[in-house]
């Protein structure tokens, strides 16, 4: 049976959200999922570190300041161990059944946190990425760009209103280095976007949440030829 071209369901895509702390990734992932579902598509919402049962266990360890690794190499290996399982158990099976996978952080976070800002050799990270991620690269990465002062203030406000388990990377390793480190993160993400403009789209995360959600939806629907609503 053949379908007419306007009834064909678009192939599932792998879309990641990246950016510094408090830039609104989780908020925008949720908005995009609502839009895609309203367009009749099946969506898998996931996150890193985490996503699969094993990776969520590792997340609890990685984000626990009492046991977490402190060297960028040990951190990167931990994130990639979690990622390998997440890809096997959640991401690849979802894509194989034509689902849209929206992931809150992915490998660009390792490139930037442990690489650009943490000092880990990019070639070593590239080798790990080839081994673990291989061809399952995101079709599109939404980079939410924001002054770290604003992002950190937003994240602090959210922490005051919700108990966030394990804040190791913020409270200890990262927040300790504070603004200068977060500025390096922002620069690292922007440099990455410049080097891969076909994959990474930059959005101004200072904008109103709903305005930003509209902008992202317009970009996604144009990019993947979905009927914009
Ligand atoms: N990490 C790493 O080092 N290497 C890796 O490979 C990976 C991760 C995968 C994971 O933390 C940590 O792991 C992270 C990077 C590191 N460490 N740090 N820092 P996480 O998953 O627990 O948290 P996060 O990824 O950093 O996200 P976040 O800080 O929770 O923020 P967000 O998801 O970007 O933002 P949000 O939760 O959607 O919004 C934050 C608040 O701002 C909230 O109250 C919202 O209501 C509000 N908000 C959202 N949008 C707006 C707008 N547009 N205007 C105003 N207010 C807004």
């Amino acid at each position: 049976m053949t379908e007419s071209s306007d009834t064909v369901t678009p192939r599932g895509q792998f879309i990641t959200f990246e950016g510094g702390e408090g830039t609104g990734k989780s908020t925008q992932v949720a908005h995009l999922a609502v839009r895609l579902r309203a367009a009749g598509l099946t969506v898998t919402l996931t996150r890193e570190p985490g996503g699969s049962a094993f990776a969520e266990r590792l997340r609890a360890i990685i984000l626990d300041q009492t046991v977490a690794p402190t060297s960028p190499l040990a951190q990167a290996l931990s994130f990639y161990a979690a990622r390998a399982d997440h890809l096997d158990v959640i991401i690849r099976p979802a894509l194989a059944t034509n689902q849209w996978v929206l992931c809150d952080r992915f490998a660009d976070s390792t490139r930037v946190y442990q690489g650009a800002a943490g000092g880990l050799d990019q070639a070593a990270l590239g080798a790990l990425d080839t081994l673990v991620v291989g061809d399952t690269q995101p079709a599109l990465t939404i980079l939410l760009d924001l002054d770290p002062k604003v992002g950190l203030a937003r994240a602090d406000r959210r922490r005051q209103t919700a108990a966030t388990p394990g804040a190791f990377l913020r409270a200890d390793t990262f927040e300790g280095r504070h603004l200068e480190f977060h500025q390096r993160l922002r620069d690292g993400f922007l440099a990455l976007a410049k080097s891969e403009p076909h994959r990474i789209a930059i959005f101004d995360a200072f904008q109103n949440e709903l305005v930003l959600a509209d902008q992202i939806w317009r970009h996604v629907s144009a990019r993947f030829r979905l009927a914009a609503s």
Side-chain angles (χ1 to χ4, degrees):
M1 195 181 77
T2 55
E3 291 176 293
S4 68
S5 59
D6 54 352
T7 60
V8 171
T9 306
R11 195 163 58 90
Q13 301 289 346
F14 181 25
I15 302 177
T16 59
F17 285 69
E18 298 280 5
E21 220 189 324
T23 50
K25 297 175 296 299
S26 314
T27 304
Q28 293 302 329
V29 165
H31 280 301
L32 183 58
V34 168
R35 299 290 186 100
L36 290 170
R37 286 178 179 138
L41 302 169
T42 309
V43 177
T44 291
L45 258 182
T46 189
R47 67 171 180 183
E48 289 215 347
S52 64
F54 171 75
E56 287 292 331
R57 283 279 183 94
L58 260 188
R59 176 187 174 93
I61 294 171
I62 295 170
L63 301 184
D64 178 349
Q65 58 184 312
T66 62
V67 292
T70 51
S71 84
L73 177 61
Q75 288 173 4
L77 291 170
S78 308
F79 285 117
Y80 268 101
R83 186 163 298 138
D85 190 66
H86 185 206
L87 281 157
D88 284 348
V89 175
I90 303 291
I91 297 175
R92 290 191 182 111
L95 292 171
T97 54
N98 212 25
Q99 297 183 36
W100 288 64
V101 177
L102 306 186
C103 191
D104 188 344
R105 292 197 183 280
F106 192 63
D108 292 328
S109 282
T110 321
R111 290 190 184 101
V112 171
Y113 278 80
Q114 283 66 49
L120 194 59
D121 179 40
Q122 290 290 348
L125 283 174
L128 260 181
D129 200 75
T130 302
L131 185 68
V132 173
V133 182
D135 290 340
T136 319
Q137 298 293 337
L140 171 67
T141 295
I142 307 283
L143 173 59
L144 298 181
D145 177 56
L146 185 64
D147 181 336
K149 279 192 216 123
V150 179
L152 289 170
R154 280 187 194 170
D156 280 347
R157 268 200 304 280
R158 189 208 44 213
R159 266 197 291 281
Q160 283 156 18
T161 54
T164 313
F168 128 78
L169 289 169
R170 310 179 185 93
D172 189 35
T173 315
F174 291 163
E175 192 154 291
R177 292 183 260 189
H178 224 42
L179 214 50
E180 187 264 336
F181 181 76
H182 288 275
Q183 188 56 52
R184 264 193 281 154
L185 291 176
R186 184 187 197 188
D187 295 343
F189 277 118
L190 288 173
L192 200 55
K194 207 168 163 198
S195 71
E196 291 190 61
H198 52 285
R199 174 174 68 86
I200 305 178
I202 306 170
F203 291 84
D204 175 5
F206 190 67
Q207 300 177 90
N208 169 277
E209 175 186 328
L210 298 179
V211 171
L212 184 55
D214 271 346
Q215 229 175 56
I216 291 172
W217 171 241
R218 278 202 302 279
H219 184 90
V220 169
S221 51
R223 173 82 165 247
F224 299 110
R225 301 192 178 155
L226 306 173
S229 54

